[in-house]
CSV table of all heavy atoms in Angstrom, one decimal:
chain,number,residue,atom,x,y,z
A,358,CYS,N,6.7,-6.3,-11.2
A,358,CYS,CA,6.7,-7.4,-12.2
A,358,CYS,C,7.3,-8.6,-11.6
A,358,CYS,O,8.5,-9.0,-12.1
A,358,CYS,CB,7.3,-6.9,-13.5
A,358,CYS,SG,6.5,-5.5,-14.2
A,359,ALA,N,6.7,-9.3,-10.7
A,359,ALA,CA,7.2,-10.5,-10.1
A,359,ALA,C,6.1,-11.4,-9.8
A,359,ALA,O,4.9,-11.0,-9.6
A,359,ALA,CB,8.0,-10.2,-8.8
A,360,GLY,N,6.4,-12.7,-9.8
A,360,GLY,CA,5.4,-13.7,-9.5
A,360,GLY,C,4.1,-13.6,-10.3
A,360,GLY,O,4.1,-13.3,-11.5
A,361,ALA,N,3.0,-13.6,-9.6
A,361,ALA,CA,1.7,-13.6,-10.3
A,361,ALA,C,1.4,-12.2,-10.9
A,361,ALA,O,0.5,-12.1,-11.8
A,361,ALA,CB,0.5,-13.8,-9.3
A,362,GLY,N,2.2,-11.2,-10.6
A,362,GLY,CA,2.0,-9.9,-11.2
A,362,GLY,C,2.9,-9.6,-12.4
A,362,GLY,O,2.8,-8.6,-13.0
A,363,THR,N,3.6,-10.6,-12.8
A,363,THR,CA,4.6,-10.4,-13.9
A,363,THR,C,3.9,-9.9,-15.2
A,363,THR,O,4.3,-9.0,-15.9
A,363,THR,CB,5.4,-11.7,-14.2
A,363,THR,OG1,6.0,-12.1,-13.0
A,363,THR,CG2,6.4,-11.5,-15.3
A,364,GLY,N,2.8,-10.6,-15.6
A,364,GLY,CA,2.1,-10.3,-16.9
A,364,GLY,C,0.9,-9.4,-16.7
A,364,GLY,O,0.1,-9.3,-17.6
A,365,ALA,N,0.7,-8.9,-15.5
A,365,ALA,CA,-0.5,-8.1,-15.2
A,365,ALA,C,-0.5,-6.8,-15.9
A,365,ALA,O,0.5,-6.1,-16.0
A,365,ALA,CB,-0.6,-7.9,-13.6
A,366,THR,N,-1.7,-6.3,-16.2
A,366,THR,CA,-2.0,-5.0,-16.8
A,366,THR,C,-3.2,-4.4,-16.2
A,366,THR,O,-4.0,-5.1,-15.6
A,366,THR,CB,-2.2,-5.1,-18.3
A,366,THR,OG1,-3.2,-6.1,-18.6
A,366,THR,CG2,-0.9,-5.5,-19.1
A,367,VAL,N,-3.3,-3.0,-16.3
A,367,VAL,CA,-4.4,-2.3,-15.7
A,367,VAL,C,-4.9,-1.3,-16.7
A,367,VAL,O,-4.3,-1.0,-17.7
A,367,VAL,CB,-4.0,-1.6,-14.4
A,367,VAL,CG1,-3.5,-2.7,-13.4
A,367,VAL,CG2,-2.9,-0.5,-14.6
A,368,ALA,N,-6.1,-0.7,-16.3
A,368,ALA,CA,-6.7,0.4,-17.1
A,368,ALA,C,-7.0,0.1,-18.5
A,368,ALA,O,-6.4,0.7,-19.5
A,368,ALA,CB,-5.8,1.6,-17.0
A,369,LYS,N,-7.9,-0.9,-18.8
A,369,LYS,CA,-8.1,-1.4,-20.1
A,369,LYS,C,-9.4,-1.0,-20.7
A,369,LYS,O,-9.9,-1.7,-21.6
A,369,LYS,CB,-8.0,-2.9,-20.1
A,369,LYS,CG,-6.5,-3.4,-19.9
A,369,LYS,CD,-6.3,-4.8,-19.6
A,369,LYS,CE,-6.5,-5.0,-18.1
A,369,LYS,NZ,-6.0,-6.3,-17.6
A,370,ALA,N,-10.0,0.1,-20.3
A,370,ALA,CA,-11.3,0.5,-20.8
A,370,ALA,C,-11.2,0.9,-22.3
A,370,ALA,O,-12.2,0.9,-23.0
A,370,ALA,CB,-11.9,1.7,-20.0
A,371,LEU,N,-10.0,1.3,-22.8
A,371,LEU,CA,-9.8,1.6,-24.2
A,371,LEU,C,-9.0,0.6,-24.9
A,371,LEU,O,-8.4,0.8,-26.0
A,371,LEU,CB,-9.1,3.0,-24.3
A,371,LEU,CG,-9.9,4.2,-23.8
A,371,LEU,CD1,-9.1,5.5,-23.9
A,371,LEU,CD2,-11.2,4.3,-24.6
A,372,GLY,N,-9.0,-0.6,-24.3
A,372,GLY,CA,-8.3,-1.7,-24.9
A,372,GLY,C,-6.8,-1.9,-24.4
A,372,GLY,O,-6.3,-1.0,-23.8
A,373,LEU,N,-6.3,-3.1,-24.7
A,373,LEU,CA,-4.9,-3.4,-24.1
A,373,LEU,C,-3.9,-2.4,-24.7
A,373,LEU,O,-2.9,-2.1,-24.1
A,373,LEU,CB,-4.6,-4.8,-24.5
A,373,LEU,CG,-3.3,-5.4,-23.8
A,373,LEU,CD1,-3.4,-5.3,-22.3
A,373,LEU,CD2,-3.0,-6.8,-24.3
A,374,GLU,N,-4.1,-2.0,-25.9
A,374,GLU,CA,-3.1,-1.1,-26.6
A,374,GLU,C,-3.0,0.3,-25.8
A,374,GLU,O,-2.1,1.0,-26.1
A,374,GLU,CB,-3.5,-0.8,-28.0
A,374,GLU,CG,-4.8,-0.1,-28.3
A,374,GLU,CD,-6.0,-1.0,-28.3
A,374,GLU,OE1,-5.9,-2.2,-27.9
A,374,GLU,OE2,-7.1,-0.6,-28.8
A,375,ARG,N,-3.9,0.6,-24.9
A,375,ARG,CA,-3.9,1.8,-24.2
A,375,ARG,C,-3.7,1.6,-22.7
A,375,ARG,O,-3.9,2.5,-21.9
A,375,ARG,CB,-5.2,2.6,-24.4
A,375,ARG,CG,-5.5,2.9,-25.9
A,375,ARG,CD,-4.7,4.1,-26.4
A,375,ARG,NE,-5.3,5.4,-25.9
A,375,ARG,CZ,-6.3,6.0,-26.4
A,375,ARG,NH1,-7.0,5.5,-27.5
A,375,ARG,NH2,-6.8,7.1,-25.9
A,376,ALA,N,-3.4,0.3,-22.3
A,376,ALA,CA,-3.3,-0.1,-20.9
A,376,ALA,C,-1.9,0.3,-20.4
A,376,ALA,O,-1.0,0.7,-21.1
A,376,ALA,CB,-3.5,-1.6,-20.8
A,377,LEU,N,-1.8,0.1,-19.1
A,377,LEU,CA,-0.5,0.2,-18.4
A,377,LEU,C,-0.2,-1.0,-17.6
A,377,LEU,O,-1.0,-1.9,-17.4
A,377,LEU,CB,-0.5,1.5,-17.4
A,377,LEU,CG,-0.6,2.8,-18.1
A,377,LEU,CD1,-0.9,3.9,-17.1
A,377,LEU,CD2,0.8,3.1,-18.8
A,378,LYS,N,1.1,-1.1,-17.1
A,378,LYS,CA,1.5,-2.3,-16.5
A,378,LYS,C,1.0,-2.4,-15.1
A,378,LYS,O,1.0,-1.5,-14.3
A,378,LYS,CB,3.1,-2.3,-16.4
A,378,LYS,CG,3.7,-3.6,-16.1
A,378,LYS,CD,3.5,-4.7,-17.2
A,378,LYS,CE,3.9,-6.0,-16.7
A,378,LYS,NZ,3.1,-6.6,-15.6
A,379,GLY,N,0.5,-3.6,-14.7
A,379,GLY,CA,0.1,-3.9,-13.4
A,379,GLY,C,1.2,-4.6,-12.7
A,379,GLY,O,2.4,-4.6,-13.2
A,380,GLY,N,0.9,-5.3,-11.6
A,380,GLY,CA,2.0,-6.0,-10.9
A,380,GLY,C,1.5,-6.6,-9.6
A,380,GLY,O,0.3,-6.8,-9.4
A,381,ILE,N,2.4,-6.9,-8.6
A,381,ILE,CA,2.0,-7.4,-7.3
A,381,ILE,C,2.6,-6.5,-6.3
A,381,ILE,O,3.7,-5.9,-6.4
A,381,ILE,CB,2.5,-8.9,-7.1
A,381,ILE,CG1,1.9,-9.5,-5.9
A,381,ILE,CG2,4.1,-8.9,-7.1
A,381,ILE,CD1,2.0,-11.0,-5.9
A,382,GLY,N,1.8,-6.2,-5.2
A,382,GLY,CA,2.3,-5.3,-4.2
A,382,GLY,C,1.8,-5.7,-2.8
A,382,GLY,O,0.9,-6.6,-2.7
A,383,CYS,N,2.4,-5.2,-1.8
A,383,CYS,CA,2.1,-5.5,-0.4
A,383,CYS,C,2.0,-4.3,0.5
A,383,CYS,O,2.7,-3.3,0.2
A,383,CYS,CB,3.0,-6.6,0.1
A,383,CYS,SG,4.8,-6.2,-0.1
A,384,ALA,N,1.3,-4.4,1.5
A,384,ALA,CA,1.2,-3.3,2.5
A,384,ALA,C,0.6,-4.0,3.8
A,384,ALA,O,0.1,-5.1,3.8
A,384,ALA,CB,0.2,-2.2,2.0
A,385,ALA,N,0.8,-3.3,4.9
A,385,ALA,CA,0.4,-3.9,6.2
A,385,ALA,C,-0.1,-2.7,7.1
A,385,ALA,O,0.3,-1.6,7.0
A,385,ALA,CB,1.5,-4.6,6.9
A,386,GLU,N,-1.0,-3.1,8.0
A,386,GLU,CA,-1.5,-2.2,9.1
A,386,GLU,C,-1.3,-2.9,10.4
A,386,GLU,O,-1.3,-4.1,10.4
A,386,GLU,CB,-2.9,-1.8,8.8
A,386,GLU,CG,-3.2,-1.1,7.5
A,386,GLU,CD,-2.7,0.4,7.5
A,386,GLU,OE1,-2.6,0.9,8.7
A,386,GLU,OE2,-2.5,0.9,6.5
A,387,LYS,N,-1.3,-2.1,11.5
A,387,LYS,CA,-1.1,-2.7,12.8
A,387,LYS,C,-2.0,-2.0,13.8
A,387,LYS,O,-2.2,-0.8,13.7
A,387,LYS,CB,0.3,-2.6,13.3
A,387,LYS,CG,0.6,-3.4,14.6
A,387,LYS,CD,2.1,-3.5,14.8
A,387,LYS,CE,2.7,-4.6,14.0
A,387,LYS,NZ,4.1,-5.0,14.4
A,388,THR,N,-2.7,-2.8,14.6
A,388,THR,CA,-3.5,-2.2,15.7
A,388,THR,C,-2.7,-1.6,16.8
A,388,THR,O,-1.5,-2.0,16.9
A,388,THR,CB,-4.5,-3.3,16.3
A,388,THR,OG1,-3.7,-4.2,17.1
A,388,THR,CG2,-5.2,-4.0,15.2
A,389,ALA,N,-3.3,-0.8,17.6
A,389,ALA,CA,-2.6,-0.3,18.8
A,389,ALA,C,-2.1,-1.3,19.7
A,389,ALA,O,-1.1,-1.2,20.4
A,389,ALA,CB,-3.5,0.7,19.5
A,390,SER,N,-2.8,-2.5,19.7
A,390,SER,CA,-2.4,-3.6,20.6
A,390,SER,C,-1.3,-4.5,20.0
A,390,SER,O,-0.8,-5.4,20.6
A,390,SER,CB,-3.6,-4.5,20.9
A,390,SER,OG,-4.1,-5.1,19.8
């Protein structure tokens, strides 16, 4: 719950009243080189 993810929500097929909190996340990958 930071920055652009502060008010984010997910899983809203049954409406916002059944949703869960979203957010902002990061991850990285690296090549062998």
Side-chain angles (χ1 to χ4, degrees):
C358 298
T363 304
T366 50
V367 301
K369 286 166 277 197
L371 294 177
L373 187 62
E374 64 274 12
R375 304 278 285 277
L377 289 167
K378 194 69 187 66
I381 194 165
C383 50
E386 298 286 339
K387 187 168 284 194
T388 70
S390 63

